[in-house]
Amino acid sequence: MTSDVPKGEKLYEGKAKILFRGPEPGTLIQYFKDDATAFNNQKKGTIAGKGIINNRITDLIMTRLAGIGIPTHYIRRLSDREQLVHEVQIVPLEVIVRNIAAGSMSKKFGVEEGTRLARPLVEFSLKNDDLGDPLLAEEHILILGLATEEELDEIFEMSLKINDFLRGMFAAVGIDLVDFKLEYGRLAEEDGYTLVLADEFSPDNCRLWDMRTGEKMDKDRFRRDLGGEVEAYQEVARRLGISLDAGD
Ligand code: ADP
Ligand code: MG
């Protein structure tokens, strides 16, 4: 663990982040750690400086997505490793968008890694580490009451819009956006709630391949013991125009 963890009230410690109570009611601080896990916690390690980079990349992407009209939990970056967000009730789904077959999709369905899909695939798994995040059909989601039909429609629409935008953004800097995982939450409002994008967007939760060389620039470097994780994460930040020099 890194030594500069803030002193506020810790609400939850996850695999990559810690949540603290925020300065105002209804806010939280997300603190980004260097800890890395894979294969549902069976592989553990650290990637030096990852938390700082992921905080910056998430900041940039959440801000750009808000700019195209995607509602998000994001408020602002507070420091190297901390960002302020609105507290939400997380929808217990991992929403995965895929443009190219890789990882669990290739393994489960026998599709060769690197196969471009006819159109983007939105798939869901249950956000539950103890159960190994099992793949869900829409019917499971509705019948188990994990989300309503209206919420699922919104999740599809927002996820595809996010994919369109981010695919273009990464392509512009020579990176193929292969797949990514999103989480959504319910943001309480006076007259109900709004569904918003929550959590993070970083190379921990997506696959990014260099368009020219095919090099992996994401957590697969850690999962598959390829080495060069820090350099890959730094390169993603650099291409997105983020300066990681001291003093930000
Ligand atoms: P995990 O190991 O559960 O994936 P992380 O290390 O990613 O945890 O820490 C972030 C946790 O905070 C996740 O469980 C995520 O669902 C949750 N979370 C993200 N954004 C919010 C938010 N705005 N309000 C409440 N919880 C959130
Ligand atoms: Mg997480």
Side-chain angles (χ1 to χ4, degrees), residues 17 127 181 183 199:
K17 303 188 288 301
K127 188 174 158 57
K181 186 267 288 182
E183 291 182 26
D199 204 48

Side-chain angles (χ1 to χ4, degrees), residues 12 14-17 19 28 73 86 88 90 127 183 199:
Y12 174 82
K15 299 184 293 291
K17 303 188 288 301
L19 296 181
L28 297 176
H73 73 156
H86 292 288
V88 299
I90 292 287
K127 188 174 158 57
E183 291 182 26
D199 204 48

Side-chain angles (χ1 to χ4, degrees), residues 85-157:
V85 301
H86 292 288
E87 181 167 17
V88 299
Q89 179 195 61
I90 292 287
V91 177
L93 298 175
E94 306 220 322
V95 180
I96 298 145
V97 183
R98 301 178 183 275
N99 297 303
I100 299 175
S104 68
M105 174 170 190
S106 295
K107 201 176 268 167
K108 268 198 194 89
F109 303 112
V111 192
E112 196 185 339
E113 223 171 39
T115 307
R116 266 173 209 277
L117 306 179
R119 59 187 172 84
L121 169 67
V122 181
E123 70 176 34
F124 303 96
S125 55
L126 181 65
K127 188 174 158 57
N128 184 324
D129 287 339
D130 295 339
L131 299 175
D133 300 333
L135 190 63
L136 295 167
E138 275 181 66
E139 284 285 83
H140 290 119
I141 298 173
L142 299 175
I143 290 168
L144 296 174
L146 304 172
T148 66
E149 206 152 359
E150 293 71 37
E151 286 174 330
L152 263 190
D153 286 348
E154 271 191 76
I155 287 174
F156 264 107
E157 195 184 323

Side-chain angles (χ1 to χ4, degrees), residues 75-93:
I75 304 174
R76 66 174 181 278
R77 192 165 67 86
L78 298 173
S79 70
D80 258 7
R81 290 179 184 272
E82 296 166 288
Q83 54 179 239
L84 187 65
V85 301
H86 292 288
E87 181 167 17
V88 299
Q89 179 195 61
I90 292 287
V91 177
L93 298 175

Side-chain angles (χ1 to χ4, degrees), residues 2-197:
T2 31
S3 55
D4 58 336
V5 180
K7 298 276 182 294
E9 189 193 346
K10 192 196 256 194
L11 299 177
Y12 174 82
E13 177 152 5
K15 299 184 293 291
K17 303 188 288 301
I18 309 173
L19 296 181
F20 293 91
R21 188 158 305 290
E24 281 131 45
T27 64
L28 297 176
I29 294 171
Q30 286 205 110
Y31 174 92
F32 285 73
K33 303 188 283 182
D34 287 349
D35 299 353
T37 63
F39 311 117
N40 197 21
N41 258 328
Q42 287 171 47
K43 181 177 165 103
K44 288 186 182 157
T46 57
I47 301 174
K50 170 174 82 78
I52 296 173
I53 302 175
N54 284 356
N55 187 23
R56 295 293 299 271
I57 294 176
T58 297
D59 169 34
L60 180 137
I61 290 181
M62 288 286 176
T63 305
R64 296 255 179 103
L65 290 176
I68 61 157
I70 302 287
T72 84
H73 73 156
Y74 194 65
I75 304 174
R76 66 174 181 278
R77 192 165 67 86
L78 298 173
S79 70
D80 258 7
R81 290 179 184 272
E82 296 166 288
Q83 54 179 239
L84 187 65
V85 301
H86 292 288
E87 181 167 17
V88 299
Q89 179 195 61
I90 292 287
V91 177
L93 298 175
E94 306 220 322
V95 180
I96 298 145
V97 183
R98 301 178 183 275
N99 297 303
I100 299 175
S104 68
M105 174 170 190
S106 295
K107 201 176 268 167
K108 268 198 194 89
F109 303 112
V111 192
E112 196 185 339
E113 223 171 39
T115 307
R116 266 173 209 277
L117 306 179
R119 59 187 172 84
L121 169 67
V122 181
E123 70 176 34
F124 303 96
S125 55
L126 181 65
K127 188 174 158 57
N128 184 324
D129 287 339
D130 295 339
L131 299 175
D133 300 333
L135 190 63
L136 295 167
E138 275 181 66
E139 284 285 83
H140 290 119
I141 298 173
L142 299 175
I143 290 168
L144 296 174
L146 304 172
T148 66
E149 206 152 359
E150 293 71 37
E151 286 174 330
L152 263 190
D153 286 348
E154 271 191 76
I155 287 174
F156 264 107
E157 195 184 323
M158 278 200 256
S159 303
L160 289 171
K161 188 170 167 186
I162 291 168
N163 183 48
D164 270 353
F165 176 76
L166 293 182
R167 235 163 91 169
M169 191 183 97
F170 281 109
V173 296
I175 296 174
D176 240 334
L177 178 59
V178 174
D179 56 34
F180 55 92
K181 186 267 288 182
L182 301 173
E183 291 182 26
Y184 289 91
R186 301 176 180 109
L187 177 63
E189 270 160 0
E190 279 149 40
D191 51 350
Y193 70 89
T194 317
L195 197 68
V196 302
L197 180 65

